[in-house]
């Protein structure tokens, strides 16, 4: 579950109303309207051509893959997919926009409506909510202006110009920063499940603007709102919302009015500052892009896209908890990491004790991949071999504790579990007669603790068990040791 | 009076038969251009060295017995708003006075592939905005070879003047509201604006994307057909280019016109039409009657709104298309601007000519919030009605005949100070662009002042072959197109 943020409206007569505009860069092979490679991190102005440079005479051509992916996102969110959609020009001047207009969508977006189901934990337990969507449309990203400190010049890098960008507009359905955070995280997860974006906020492949207003609790009226632009981490979104909700409540408590404006969040100071007021709002002079014909989606195409959708996070969560019987915690951790969830499901094909496998995947496998900064698939043990290890634990062949050493020894090779356990000498001894002998020996050596146990001192049992374990060099099955110690002492 | 004959079609055969060499063809073309250009100022650049080098290369290929293309050895000129790797592409504007395109327009590539050789770029009204070629900020006004005190029409005035004053070349023009047909009319040559989508616009510096179309200006319909058969067809780089098959234009010319139905729209013969123009056009229509073409009256009732509709739509699109010339990425940049806004404002104020600025202002206004509905949207609705007029007329007739321009060539300076007077010259040509239908203008005689009069034929969308066929039939029984002007270097 996501970390709980305190709700600044708690205990106040106010309620916050929050809407999000998320921008998701699609990782199509080429850009939205030309054949240039779509890649982050290349040398400035190396992934460009006359089209994305906005050269005179050049014309855009729609990237079919981007259209298809936009429709897939819409289908995954239950949107109505437009049968007839078109592009429009959004006109404004900025150095990172080489044509002087952005090709976007105005009145006929690819997707209308839809909703995103989110869940998060707060004081009252797990909350599930459906956040409505207004629309999803496709547009081209702008380039990047680069300003050097203490120099009068600025530079423009157009590698990003023309990269396909999905704009996902939510309804003003959220009321707390944590709800907004949960929504944004779920949106990211949906993109990852569909494989259409990396949604990396640091690289800017997921960006977010938020709209906020505050109203008396119980009111259904939408009041004057402010917009905070360009929030580039989940924490910034939540912090900016907390700050802005608090600011607006203070203003309203004084009986003053909120001024409609666009704000920028300064994450270091934790404050917002004014970017522009309502009167400075742009008139984008939208009109239909005459260089592109309208786009028609056929029923068959939409149906084939619908059928090809993978299992989405909300459905998977239910299956993991229901059919597989995982704890809510384990199900949630797995669902939030696409690769780990796949790793888990593959492991189940070898060994189907779901909760046992989930314990290992969400603990040891996750620790290993986090520590090395790589995915579960890259740590050097196949799901089948991991499943073999978990089975060995469940069958008492190796102790849960020693199994971590076995796990380490299995990384980066293809050796079988039994072989590794044998080589490390970590086979667990579950042979009753062997253990009973050791137990008898220990009881004989430690009359004091034995007396204590008989007097009812529980702790002394643990001491005796520890001594047996020590004598067996840790190989004895601790469960059997405990059982036999109790038997021998008759407690 | 000197006469001339169509010749670009025969160049290939002459080369194959060894009667001439490509180098000689180019030398002859260069000689002609140099002979008339000082008087006409029709070109902006002449590619002597490059053209001769290409000609030598072609001669080598022919020597080796390689099969030459359909237009092998044909010298061609390129209007200065069409991108060529050779030389500069300026659209006769000081905003990009030295712009070197990094690519060839699709039409140029197609001509090169057919063996044709670029020899010069031709003068025009800045960005195609004008009807007299007086708005050329780089070369100055081009003069009419029939009378050098008069304009050649525009905006493809350089191409029209050269087409009239020379022979044996192909001239690429562009037509947004009559920019091929009107100068063809004023200079006594044959010019075709193909159906919208018939010829790729990739590499044409956009004026108004939904109206712009590349075409040619020649001495005959037969030459136009030969040129069109090379430049027409689907281009994957232009999403608005049509994928339907390109007819065999030269073959279609030979079909009898007897029985074709020609519509005479009453609205295209208003009182404002010059009496001599009216007389020559009526005589031209009689020629068709003698050829067995049926004539009947048709009505295109929304014609009276065509000009304002055109002014609004073309200006709106232009205001957006020309936004890229902002001084940031290429072209003219103001010196020492104080900040970004001044960089934009001064670069554009210094770079664009008065007519271009006027249209950008009009276009920006009609797309602005509060005016969008009343102007731009209304114009788009009227455009639909104009298109429907043509659709219903074309149910009754196969083609429509009317004058190309209400007047003949006028003296340089006569109308340039009154934009409304100058826009009125376009009233008979803009409907073709609004309705996306093909239009051809060809000479139908001279006035008593020895100035050519143009007859215009409109066809159904993608029936370019029908307008060519009618014009060809006319030229087979008349000699108007063979008349050479006083400034003529072709003999």
């Amino acid at each position: 579950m996501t970390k709980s943020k305190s709700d600044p409206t708690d205990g106040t007569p106010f309620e916050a109303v929050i809407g999000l505009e998320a921008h998701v860069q699609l990782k199509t092979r080429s850009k939205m309207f030309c054949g240039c490679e779509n890649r982050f991190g290349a040398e400035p102005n190396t992934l460009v051509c006359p089209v994305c440079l906005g050269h005179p005479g050049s014309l855009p051509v729609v990237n079919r893959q981007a259209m298809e992916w936009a429709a897939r996102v819409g289908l995954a969110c239950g949107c109505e997919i437009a049968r007839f959609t078109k592009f429009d020009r959004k006109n404004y001047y900025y150095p990172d926009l080489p044509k002087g207009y952005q090709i976007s969508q105005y009145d006929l977006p690819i997707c209308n409506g839809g909703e995103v189901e989110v869940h998060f934990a707060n004081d009252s337990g797990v909350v599930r909510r459906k956040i409505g969507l207004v629309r999803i449309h496709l547009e081209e990203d702008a380039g990047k202006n680069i300003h050097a400190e203490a120099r009068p010049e600025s530079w423009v890098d157009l590698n990003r110009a023309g990269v396909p960008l999905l704009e996902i507009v939510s309804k003003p359905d959220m009321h707390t920063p944590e709800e907004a955070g949960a929504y944004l995280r779920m949106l990211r997860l949906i993109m990852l499940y569909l494989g259409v974006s990396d949604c990396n906020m640091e690289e800017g492949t997921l960006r977010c603007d938020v709209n906020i207003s505050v109203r008396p609790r119980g009111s259904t009226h939408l009041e004057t709102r402010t917009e905070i632009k360009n929030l580039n981490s989940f924490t910034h979104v939540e912090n900016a919302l907390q700050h802005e909700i608090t600011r607006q409540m203070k203003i309203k408590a004084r009986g003053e009015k909120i001024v409609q404006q666009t704000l920028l969040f300064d994450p270091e100071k934790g404050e917002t500052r004014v970017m522009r007021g309502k009167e400075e709002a742009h008139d984008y002079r939208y009109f239909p892009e005459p260089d592109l014909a309208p786009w028609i989606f056929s029923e068959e195409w939409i149906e084939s896209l619908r059928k090809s959708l993978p299992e989405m996070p909300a459905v998977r969560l239910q299956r993991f908890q229901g059919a597989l019987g995982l704890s809510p915690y384990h199900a949630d951790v797995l669902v939030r990491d696409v690769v780990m969830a796949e790793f888990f499901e593959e492991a189940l094909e070898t060994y189907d004790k779901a909760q046992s496998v989930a314990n290992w995947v969400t603990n040891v496998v996750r620790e290993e991949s986090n520590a090395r900064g790589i995915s579960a698939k890259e740590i050097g043990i196949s799901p089948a071999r991991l499943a073999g290890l978990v089975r060995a634990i469940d069958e008492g062949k190796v102790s849960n504790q020693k199994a971590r050493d076995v796990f380490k020894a299995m990384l980066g090779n293809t050796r079988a579990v039994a072989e590794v356990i044998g080589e490390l000498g970590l086979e667990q001894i579950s042979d009753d007669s062997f253990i009973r002998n050791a137990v008898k020996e220990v009881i004989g050596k430690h009359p004091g603790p034995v007396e204590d146990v008989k007097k009812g001192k529980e702790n002394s049992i643990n001491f005796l068990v520890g001594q047996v374990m020590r004598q067996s060099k840790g190989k004895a099955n601790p469960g059997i040791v405990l059982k036999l110690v109790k038997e021998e002492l008759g407690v | 009076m000197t006469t001339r004959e169509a010749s670009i079609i025969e160049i290939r055969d002459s080369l194959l038969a060894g009667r001439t060499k490509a180098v000689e063809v180019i030398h002859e073309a260069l000689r002609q251009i140099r002979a008339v250009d000082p008087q006409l100022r029709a070109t902006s650049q002449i590619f002597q060295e490059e053209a001769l080098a290409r000609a030598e290369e072609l001669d080598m290929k022919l020597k080796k017995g390689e099969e030459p293309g359909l237009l092998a050895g044909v010298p061609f000129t390129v209007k200065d708003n069409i991108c060529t790797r050779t030389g500069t592409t300026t659209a006769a504007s000081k905003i990009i006075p030295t712009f070197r395109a990094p690519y060839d327009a699709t039409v140029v590539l197609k001509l090169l592939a057919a063996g044709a050789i670029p020899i010069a770029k031709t003068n025009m009204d800045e960005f195609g905005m004008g009807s007299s070629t007086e708005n050329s900020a780089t070369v100055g006004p081009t003069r009419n070879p029939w009378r050098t005190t008069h304009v050649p029409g525009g905006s493809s005035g350089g191409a029209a003047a050269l087409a009239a004053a020379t022979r044996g070349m192909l001239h690429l023009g562009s037509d947004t509201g009559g920019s091929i047909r009107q100068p063809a009319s004023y200079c006594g040559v044959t010019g075709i604006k193909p159906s919208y989508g018939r010829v790729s616009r990739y590499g044409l510096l956009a004026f108004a994307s939904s109206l712009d179309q590349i075409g040619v200006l020649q001495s005959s319909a037969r030459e136009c057909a030969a040129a069109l058969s090379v430049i027409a067809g689907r281009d994957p780089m232009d999403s608005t280019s049509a994928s339907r098959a390109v007819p065999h234009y030269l073959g279609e010319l030979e079909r009898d016109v007897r029985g074709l139905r020609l519509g005479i729209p009453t609205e295209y013969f208003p009182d404002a039409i010059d009496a001599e123009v009216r007389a020559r056009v009526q005589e031209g229509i009689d020629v068709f009657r003698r050829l067995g073409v049926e004539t009947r009256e048709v009505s295109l009732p929304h014609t009276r709104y065509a000009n304002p509709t055109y002014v609004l739509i073309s200006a709106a699109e232009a205001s957006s298309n020309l936004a890229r010339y902002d001084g940031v990425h290429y072209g003219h940049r103001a010196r020492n601007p104080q900040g970004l806004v001044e960089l934009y404002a001064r670069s554009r104020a210094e770079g664009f000519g008065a007519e271009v600025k006027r249209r950008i202002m009009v276009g920006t206004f009609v797309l602005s919030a509060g005016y969008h509905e009343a102007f731009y949207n209304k114009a788009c609705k009227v455009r639909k009605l104009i298109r429907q007029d043509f659709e219903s007329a074309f149910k009754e007739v196969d083609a429509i005949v009317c004058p190309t321009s209400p007047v003949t060539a006028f003296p340089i300076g006569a109308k340039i100070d009154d934009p409304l007077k100058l826009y009125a010259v376009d009233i008979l040509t803009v409907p073709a662009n609004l309705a996306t239908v093909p239009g051809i203008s060809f000479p139908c005689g001279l006035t008593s002042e020895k100035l050519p009069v143009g007859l215009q034929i409109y066809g159904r969308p993608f029936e370019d072959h029908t307008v060519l066929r009618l014009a060809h039939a006319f030229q087979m029984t008349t000699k108007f197109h063979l008349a050479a002007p006083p400034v003529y270097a072709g003999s």
Side-chain angles (χ1 to χ4, degrees), chain A residues 50-51 53-62 89 91 93-101 156 158 283-293, chain B residues 83 99 102-103 196 201-205 209-210 236-240 316-317 320-321 323-325 328-330 340 344 348 364 367-369 372 376:
Chain A
V51 177
L53 288 174
H55 266 206
S58 65
L59 296 171
V61 176
V62 172
R89 290 188 186 176
N91 296 283
Y93 288 96
Y94 208 56
D96 64 10
L97 193 69
K99 295 189 299 296
Y101 57 84
V156 182
L158 294 176
D283 176 2
Y284 291 117
R285 290 175 280 119
Y286 281 99
F287 74 102
E289 166 57 281
D291 288 331
L292 294 171
Chain B
C83 287
F99 182 72
Y103 67 99
Y196 186 80
R201 293 185 294 117
Y202 193 80
L204 169 67
L205 271 58
S209 314
S210 75
M237 301 291 277
D238 176 0
S239 308
T240 62
E317 292 183 15
S320 175
N321 282 330
R324 68 189 64 199
Y325 307 105
V328 172
H329 299 273
Y330 44 79
L340 185 61
Y344 285 139
R348 289 167 66 80
T364 305
L367 286 175
S368 298
H372 199 286
Y376 178 74

Side-chain angles (χ1 to χ4, degrees), chain B residues 184-195:
Chain B
S185 162
Y186 288 11
C187 292
V189 298
T190 307
I192 182 166
K193 179 207 90 77
S195 306

Side-chain angles (χ1 to χ4, degrees), chain B residues 19-337:
Chain B
R19 286 195 294 273
T20 185
K21 285 190 154 65
V23 170
E24 288 165 26
V25 174
I26 296 301
H27 272 303
E28 166 59 11
L30 288 167
R31 181 198 67 75
Q32 291 188 50
I33 293 175
R34 293 204 189 288
V36 299
D37 211 29
Q39 279 168 281
L40 302 180
R41 302 172 73 99
T43 71
S44 57
Q45 294 166 89
I46 298 170
F47 305 137
Q48 174 164 314
E49 279 171 36
E50 297 89 340
L52 286 170
R54 281 183 201 273
E56 275 170 29
E57 206 178 302
L58 177 60
D59 283 332
M60 292 288 282
K61 281 186 186 171
L62 288 162
K63 214 171 169 185
K64 285 189 221 154
E66 285 180 37
E67 185 63 20
L70 195 65
L71 294 175
V74 172
F76 71 96
T77 72
V78 182
K79 189 176 176 181
D80 209 11
N81 60 352
I82 297 174
C83 287
T84 49
R85 275 175 179 275
T86 311
T88 58
T89 301
T90 74
S93 180
K94 284 186 174 158
I95 197 104
I96 43 169
T98 58
F99 182 72
R100 302 186 80 88
Y103 67 99
D104 281 314
T106 298
V107 280
V108 172
L109 287 177
K110 287 189 167 192
L111 286 171
L112 287 171
I117 295 171
I119 190 167
K121 294 199 93 160
T122 53
N123 196 24
M124 57 182 289
D125 288 298
E126 185 177 354
F127 283 105
M129 297 176 184
S131 307
S132 64
T133 317
E134 292 170 285
N135 293 329
S136 167
T138 50
V139 177
T142 292
R143 287 153 194 281
N144 192 316
W146 288 89
R147 186 171 301 170
T148 53
T149 52
H150 282 47
V151 302
S155 66
S156 309
L162 269 191
T166 66
R167 50 176 280 182
M169 295 175 222
L170 186 156
H171 305 281
L172 286 174
S174 70
D175 189 315
T176 306
S179 282
I180 286 175
R181 292 159 289 152
Q182 184 254 16
S185 162
Y186 288 11
C187 292
V189 298
T190 307
I192 182 166
K193 179 207 90 77
S195 306
Y196 186 80
R198 187 69 291 180
V199 177
S200 167
R201 293 185 294 117
Y202 193 80
L204 169 67
L205 271 58
F207 161 11
S209 314
S210 75
L211 303 163
D212 294 342
Q213 188 61 195
I214 291 176
V216 289
L217 299 96
Q218 303 297 142
S219 58
S220 69
R222 193 164 159 261
E223 278 194 332
C224 288
L228 198 57
S229 55
V230 169
I231 64 172
R234 164 83 183 154
D235 176 11
M237 301 291 277
D238 176 0
S239 308
T240 62
S241 68
S243 47
R244 59 167 72 201
V246 176
H248 189 278
Y249 292 118
L250 281 169
E252 286 284 333
L253 292 183
E254 307 308 328
R255 290 175 55 199
D256 197 352
V257 295
R258 192 170 302 272
L260 281 179
R261 298 162 302 169
L262 197 54
I264 304 167
T266 38
E267 296 85 355
Y268 284 68
F269 293 83
D271 295 340
I273 288 195
D274 176 273
E276 283 199 274
V277 169
R278 186 188 298 271
R280 290 300 91 77
V281 169
Q282 293 296 358
E283 291 158 18
I285 294 172
D286 285 338
V287 172
F288 281 114
R289 291 194 180 107
R290 286 199 294 277
L291 286 167
V293 174
E294 258 178 59
T295 59
R296 66 175 72 166
E297 279 199 0
V298 291
S299 176
L300 300 164
H302 294 94
T303 298
R304 50 190 293 226
Y305 304 115
N307 222 21
T309 302
Y310 168 79
V311 168
L312 296 181
I313 290 177
S314 66
E317 292 183 15
S319 71
S320 175
N321 282 330
L322 271 59
R324 68 189 64 199
Y325 307 105
D326 61 4
V328 172
H329 299 273
Y330 44 79
H332 176 72
R333 178 185 287 186
R335 280 166 178 267
N336 304 318

Side-chain angles (χ1 to χ4, degrees), chain A residues 212-232:
Chain A
I212 314 130
S213 62
V214 161
R215 67 185 175 197
R217 212 170 278 278
S219 158
T220 53
H221 180 68
L222 284 177
E223 307 210 359
T224 307
R225 63 186 165 82
T226 58
E227 181 178 12
I228 309 178
K229 281 221 170 278
N230 275 328
L231 297 164
N232 56 13

Side-chain angles (χ1 to χ4, degrees), chain A residues 147-178:
Chain A
H147 310 285
E149 264 177 58
R151 293 200 57 171
E153 310 95 336
S154 291
W155 289 269
V156 182
D157 175 11
L158 294 176
N159 282 350
R160 200 179 72 177
V163 167
L165 200 60
L166 266 194
E167 182 171 317
I168 304 168
V169 183
S170 86
K171 287 185 179 162
D173 270 2
M174 289 158 275
H175 302 291
T176 63
E178 66 177 335

